Amino acid sequence: MIPAALVLLPLIGLVAAWLRLDGEIWLHLWNTLLPEMLLNTMLLMLGVGATTLVLGTGLAWLVTTYSFPGARLIEWLLVLPIAIPGYILGYVFMSLFDYAGPFQTQLRAWFGSHVELPEFRSLPGAVLVLSLALYPYVYLLARAAFREQSAAQRDAARAAGLSDRAIFWRVALPLARPSLAAGVALALMEALTDFAVVRYFNTVTLSEGVVRLWVIQMDRDAAVQLASLLMLIALAVVLVERRLRHRARYYQLGNQSRPIAPTRLSGWRMVAALVGPSVLLLVAFGLPVAQLAQWALVEVAHAEPGTLDAVFGQYLFNTVALSLGAALLVLVVALGMAYAVRPHGAHAATNGGMRFLARLATLGYAIPGAVVALGVLLLLASLNETVLAWTGGAVLLSASIFGLMYAYLVRFLAIGFSSVEASLEKVTPNMEMAARSLGAPPSRVLARIHLPLARTGVLAALLLVFVDTLKELPVTMFLRPFGMETLSVWTYMLSSESAWQAAAVPALTIVLASVPPALLLIHLSRISAQSAEGTYL
Amino acid sequence: MTPALRVRNVSKRFETQEAYAVYRASLDIEPGQIVVLLGPSGCGKTTLLRLINGLEDPERDSEAYIAIGDRLVFGPGVNVPPERRRVGMVFQDYALFPHMTVAANVAFGLHGMDKAEALARTAAVLEQVQLGDFAQRYPYELSGGQQQRVALARALAPQPQLLLLDEPFSNLDHGLRVTLREEMRQVLKRSGVAVLFVTHDREEALSLADVIALMHHGRIVQTGTPRDLYTHPASPFVARFLGEANFLPAQAHGDYADCILGRVPLDAPAQGCIQLLIRPEALEVSEDPNGQARVEHVLYFGHDQLLSLCLDGGERLLARTNGMPTFSAGARVSVRPQGPVWAFAGQSDPAAEAS
């Protein structure tokens, strides 16, 4: 199947790097930064994994099991931090909480200059930022899983004499395990992709190392070798997640039975249930957005008339054009794939092979952006050489819109595919056969039955891919045609030069554009935990 | 008159399975006739249906063909796609299009027809199934029985020569089934369409069919009227599939045979060792202290009752009587077969074969 091959080709180039193991490069890496990169990457994954698991699961349990004033609102708001990409939250936090920032300055003003907090530019700082930006993945899936559990199960546990606490540990949590594993895996994949936050926080990781070797030291061979190692770790995350899920797909017998009636909280418990999430939301969303808004206002007020408008307009146009292109491309491929693997005919199981290929094709989502970018670049470079050898004329494919779109497809096909596939499931094999027996050829069945029924999934896929492309950093940064800036690249460039105020304008734009799809995610996961789990995997 | 459907020597084997799902099946349906394809689940009846409407391709075979009316739809060098076979189909789960109103569902197959004509036809068919008032509803707003009638109307709207129904009653509860069955039979008969109806429910088959084709292990083992199949089954399997049956070994002497219950007249002359088929309702049971059997237990249904009897020789028999007389377990009774009896040749225990 073509899409699977398309997606896997760039990755195969990197796997091939293992066949050409370069001892010298590895020796050099080992003697310099490799041990530190490996250790930091592991610690980052541990830290982000543990923090997002505890935060996401705890908050999901709170909003699904208890009722308190404002619970419904908090349930929706808790997903918002996902709208702030790590590279934006990171730089805002840096400005607020670093030694010279207003937070520590204020502390010194109150308590004297001897007050010194641990260094904020450190691995724990990076873990904090990434966890705050990524916990919503776990929250969304855990919440959907808890919601799907039936009251009957809890009643049975209660009748067996289990306390609320025991029910959480012994019934709800084990039942939700597949979803929790999926959520944490998503958070880890995002953490592995990140090279910006760790760079702000002076922490070298593998992703950061690949970028450094490739862009700063221009040592592409070494970058490829390191990238293949990073890819291996990312695939390990996928495997571990599958293993944890291992046949642990728990189905509710029959349809969603009686939903769980939440327990009403009162007194100090109610206050705690309100204050806890509120503080978290304030730190992870309210404060950063307020800070960005303030900077942006100042920037706009002080900018020379016309200059900001022109630049911003151009970059916004580039961003929207790229994101729209990526969304449409992904949608077309995803639709084709989902249509090809849909269950149809008497023996639906026979297209198991196709389904496996489809799953392979969606693997790109687990691979860090820098690795995908490097893989695409390698592939296109060798393609260029082939074309050059055949035709004698050079076709510059690599640093072009083509390469960029290709990489977006590899990265985001999973998102488009799973949301389209889930909605195509509404068309049963019999519906399709009924339409055909009524005289409709396959094209008319597609137009009148499949597409109308899959409409919400198609729209969701478009929106999700659009916004993911809009805030995407590594792929865009490394593969964009020369001189083609986007909002995300612009934000990163300015913020890494500590031009925080100037970076606020594109950053705020990205955050605001990301809010609607964040809310869409919670809506989708409400429809079905199953499909939300499949949203990315 | 050309039959509405002619199937000859059609076979199908799935890649993953060794045995044939359908083996050299042949079947005729006359215009306006209701043929019920009956058989246990997994016997290949649904596959045969799908071969007829083109959703599945039969094995290539120079002797195999399928003709609908005077159009050859499958045969050497011919394989018409399902959308051009003009065969109506009603599915077990109805497969209504959830995003369309009842009227739009019914009109789906009228694509290409003049608009006013299509509207009129839709209204007429909905009226036929008594759903005229529901045209603007959506499928999820309807009851199961109503959904089934929409599915029937949708399949009938393009006026197909042949209508296929795949267990359309299996999602309905028992009481509703019996009423809807009669209604459906009337609608089908009025529309004059030739019908192939698939079910595993013998009661449904016996009451609905003009002709029953009984399938077993991918083969059509007997075709005939319901009465014919019930009274003159071609094999012990057919006998058992259509109702409870007692098999008694006997010695045939031309027009009559001797068995443990005495001398009985035969339906068809035979000689030597045979197996008698005696339906439970063909046994006359009466309370008799000197009878040759004992009542083991009674299954009481109200309008009738099924008695398990044990003969003094240890043989067991099932007898059905009307619900009036009271039999209690342990009572002695006398048993007498009535009417001419159908028989199979051979001595082997047909019960073993039937399972």
Side-chain angles (χ1 to χ4, degrees):
Chain A
M1 211 165 79
I2 300 163
L6 271 181
V7 168
L8 290 178
L9 266 180
L11 306 182
I12 288 167
L14 291 174
V15 173
W18 286 99
L19 302 176
R20 299 179 270 106
L21 266 193
D22 190 327
E24 209 175 311
I25 289 178
W26 283 106
L27 196 64
H28 179 72
L29 283 174
W30 183 253
N31 286 331
T32 51
L33 283 171
L34 188 57
E36 197 186 343
M37 284 177 194
L38 271 175
L39 182 68
N40 280 342
T41 304
M42 291 302 150
L43 288 177
L44 188 78
M45 285 170 65
L46 263 180
V48 171
T51 316
T52 55
L53 178 64
V54 171
L55 264 183
T57 313
L59 291 168
W61 180 252
L62 180 74
V63 299
T64 53
T65 315
Y66 300 105
S67 80
F68 47 91
R72 293 287 297 154
L73 185 65
I74 284 180
E75 183 174 0
W76 281 77
L77 292 180
L78 276 172
V79 79
L80 280 181
I82 212 174
I84 309 186
Y87 62 88
I88 291 177
L89 190 67
Y91 97 75
V92 177
F93 267 37
M94 191 63 74
S95 77
L96 289 175
F97 299 116
D98 199 15
Y99 184 80
F103 181 71
Q104 292 208 32
T105 309
Q106 192 61 52
L107 281 185
R108 282 193 297 274
W110 283 341
F111 304 107
S113 58
H114 60 276
V115 174
E116 207 159 314
L117 296 180
E119 177 56 52
F120 190 59
R121 287 176 182 255
S122 61
L123 181 69
V127 168
L128 175 73
V129 166
L130 285 173
S131 299
L132 287 181
L134 299 176
Y135 83 82
Y137 284 114
V138 185
Y139 169 72
L140 274 170
L141 295 184
R143 180 181 149 283
F146 289 146
R147 278 248 182 281
E148 276 209 343
Q149 294 172 8
S150 76
Q153 287 167 334
R154 303 250 174 113
D155 289 347
R158 212 162 269 137
L162 267 65
S163 67
D164 265 9
R165 178 177 304 203
I167 287 175
F168 173 73
W169 287 108
R170 291 177 52 192
V171 179
L173 207 56
L175 279 172
R177 195 185 68 190
S179 296
L180 299 184
V184 171
L186 285 174
L188 289 183
M189 286 167 196
E190 290 288 327
L192 274 179
T193 274
D194 170 77
F195 74 95
V197 173
V198 289
R199 189 171 274 182
Y200 298 147
F201 285 81
N202 287 341
T203 306
V204 290
T205 62
L206 285 172
S207 250
E208 203 271 343
V210 170
V211 172
R212 179 192 306 228
L213 283 174
W214 179 13
V215 181
I216 300 174
Q217 302 183 9
M218 307 288 244
D219 187 349
R220 189 190 282 186
D221 291 335
V224 167
Q225 298 275 321
L226 201 59
S228 59
L229 177 65
L230 181 53
M231 186 169 75
L232 218 61
I233 294 179
L235 291 178
V237 172
V238 176
L239 281 180
V240 169
E241 189 260 348
R242 290 280 146 81
R243 183 106 209 134
L244 275 177
R245 256 203 273 182
H246 183 64
R247 273 186 281 134
R249 287 201 153 261
Y250 303 115
Y251 290 103
Q252 203 74 53
L253 293 177
N255 283 333
Q256 164 73 297
S257 47
R258 197 157 44 89
I260 293 154
T263 314
R264 182 160 282 282
L265 291 180
S266 58
W268 68 268
R269 287 167 191 275
M270 182 193 80
V271 175
L274 257 176
V275 170
S278 302
V279 169
L280 178 78
L281 276 172
L282 198 67
V283 174
F285 191 77
L287 213 58
V289 170
Q291 176 67 78
L292 284 175
Q294 191 235 328
W295 278 333
L297 284 177
V298 174
E299 177 70 12
V300 170
H302 288 80
E304 284 180 37
T307 51
L308 184 65
D309 298 355
V311 175
F312 181 73
Q314 179 61 43
Y315 294 179
L316 184 66
F317 175 80
N318 291 347
T319 310
V320 170
L322 282 180
S323 306
L324 204 60
L328 289 174
L329 176 67
V330 166
L331 181 71
V332 168
V333 176
L335 261 178
M337 249 168 64
Y339 185 71
V341 304
R342 78 200 187 284
H344 63 118
H347 288 249
T350 49
N351 52 21
M354 293 278 259
R355 299 194 74 80
F356 177 72
L357 279 177
R359 284 196 93 62
L360 271 187
T362 55
L363 210 57
Y365 193 80
I367 310 298
V371 177
V372 170
L374 200 51
V376 167
L377 208 63
L378 278 182
L379 180 71
L380 294 183
S382 64
L383 217 89
N384 265 342
E385 280 162 28
T386 319
V387 172
L388 194 66
W390 279 354
T391 62
V395 183
L396 285 177
L397 288 172
S398 29
S400 65
I401 300 274
F402 177 80
L404 190 55
M405 284 295 155
Y406 185 15
Y408 284 147
L409 178 66
V410 173
R411 274 287 277 156
F412 297 136
L413 183 57
I415 304 174
F417 175 69
S418 50
S419 99
V420 171
E421 191 198 21
S423 61
L424 270 189
E425 270 169 19
K426 285 191 249 168
V427 183
T428 65
N430 277 355
M431 265 184 230
E432 192 176 339
M433 294 190 292
R436 291 198 69 187
S437 72
L438 288 166
S443 60
R444 185 157 174 263
V445 181
L446 186 65
R448 293 282 315 273
I449 309 293
H450 286 97
L451 287 182
L453 277 173
R455 199 180 49 214
T456 43
V458 167
L459 287 179
L462 272 178
L463 181 61
L464 292 174
V465 177
F466 181 84
V467 173
D468 263 15
T469 313
L470 180 133
K471 61 185 185 188
E472 205 283 338
L473 184 59
V475 167
T476 317
M477 182 134 142
F478 302 130
L479 291 183
R480 72 190 197 281
F482 184 74
M484 186 175 188
E485 306 293 343
T486 69
L487 292 179
S488 63
V489 174
W490 194 28
T491 305
Y492 174 70
M493 296 289 204
L494 289 172
S495 62
S496 57
E497 290 160 16
S498 300
W500 294 331
Q501 196 171 297
V505 176
L508 195 63
T509 314
I510 292 174
V511 171
L512 292 182
S514 306
V515 167
L519 297 179
L520 176 72
L521 276 180
I522 202 162
H523 179 68
L524 288 179
S525 73
R526 210 165 51 143
I527 294 165
S528 152
Q530 211 78 37
S531 65
E533 194 177 309
T535 297
Y536 292 100
L537 287 179
Chain B
M1 202 167 184
T2 338
L5 173 73
R6 258 172 309 157
V7 176
R8 286 292 177 278
N9 303 316
V10 162
S11 304
K12 176 69 185 176
R13 191 162 72 174
F14 292 107
E15 284 162 32
T16 48
Q17 286 156 1
E18 187 133 328
Y20 279 91
V22 172
Y23 186 74
R24 295 184 75 80
S26 296
L27 189 67
D28 276 6
I29 304 182
E30 300 302 324
Q33 197 178 37
I34 298 177
V35 173
V36 171
L37 198 54
L38 175 70
S41 47
C43 72
K45 52 193 191 302
T46 295
T47 304
L48 180 55
L49 211 65
R50 299 167 56 91
L51 293 174
I52 292 169
N53 70 8
L55 296 169
E56 213 69 73
D57 289 334
E59 305 298 317
R60 284 282 158 203
D61 178 340
S62 59
E63 290 171 25
Y65 72 88
I66 300 172
I68 294 166
D70 43 23
R71 292 176 300 134
L72 188 67
V73 296
F74 177 84
V78 180
N79 193 4
V80 177
E83 61 269 23
R84 296 219 313 269
R85 293 197 179 187
R86 286 187 305 182
V87 171
M89 178 95 193
V90 175
F91 293 87
Q92 195 171 347
D93 59 2
Y94 319 134
L96 298 177
F97 308 134
H99 58 303
M100 296 182 189
T101 59
V102 166
N105 264 284
V106 173
F108 188 89
L110 304 178
H111 185 66
M113 194 187 262
D114 171 65
K115 195 147 192 194
E117 210 179 320
L119 275 175
R121 174 74 188 143
T122 303
V125 183
L126 280 176
E127 211 49 61
Q128 224 177 326
V129 296
Q130 295 160 23
L131 282 176
D133 298 339
F134 294 82
Q136 295 314 312
R137 301 274 187 98
Y138 280 89
Y140 67 88
E141 297 174 296
L142 305 180
S143 71
Q146 290 168 334
Q147 290 183 19
Q148 189 225 49
R149 282 186 278 153
V150 175
L152 181 62
R154 184 178 67 177
L156 286 176
Q159 289 176 298
Q161 265 182 299
L162 175 67
L163 180 66
L164 309 178
L165 299 108
D166 188 6
E167 311 225 7
F169 293 109
S170 62
N171 283 335
L172 300 172
D173 56 66
H174 189 79
L176 197 57
R177 256 187 239 188
V178 179
T179 6
L180 285 179
R181 204 188 289 158
E182 189 41 42
E183 276 179 32
M184 181 183 273
R185 194 180 154 84
Q186 282 172 19
V187 171
L188 293 176
K189 279 294 172 195
R190 226 176 297 141
S191 70
V193 68
V195 173
L196 183 60
F197 185 110
V198 161
T199 182
H200 63 266
D201 185 324
R202 66 186 184 215
E203 200 187 310
E204 215 164 272
L206 291 169
S207 61
L208 206 58
D210 296 324
V211 168
I212 292 178
L214 203 135
M215 254 185 118
H216 190 214
H217 291 324
R219 289 155 209 257
I220 294 180
V221 291
Q222 193 176 2
T223 308
T225 64
R227 190 171 290 275
D228 209 24
L229 255 67
Y230 189 77
T231 55
H232 296 156
S235 70
F237 170 79
V238 176
R240 270 181 190 272
F241 199 79
L242 288 173
E244 284 94 353
N246 298 301
F247 294 99
L248 285 179
Q251 203 65 40
H253 310 285
D255 289 341
Y256 62 91
D258 291 315
C259 71
I260 194 162
L261 297 177
R263 181 157 289 190
V264 294
L266 287 179
D267 220 351
Q271 290 293 340
C273 292
I274 53 168
Q275 292 283 338
L276 301 178
L277 162 65
I278 303 176
R279 296 284 184 194
E281 63 273 14
L283 284 174
E284 201 177 79
V285 183
S286 51
E287 190 115 40
D288 177 359
N290 303 317
Q292 76 274 50
R294 191 167 50 82
V295 177
E296 280 201 313
H297 53 84
V298 181
L299 276 178
Y300 180 69
F301 298 113
H303 45 71
D304 61 359
Q305 51 192 333
L306 198 60
L307 313 176
S308 291
L309 308 177
C310 187
L311 296 179
D312 289 341
E315 295 86 353
R316 286 189 159 70
L317 290 177
L318 282 175
R320 192 187 292 277
T321 75
N322 69 44
M324 310 279 262
T326 307
F327 292 100
S328 43
R332 290 213 73 87
V333 291
S334 65
V335 188
R336 202 158 58 86
Q338 293 176 299
V341 171
W342 185 245
F344 301 106
Q347 242 173 340
S348 67
D349 181 10
E353 194 202 328
S355 67

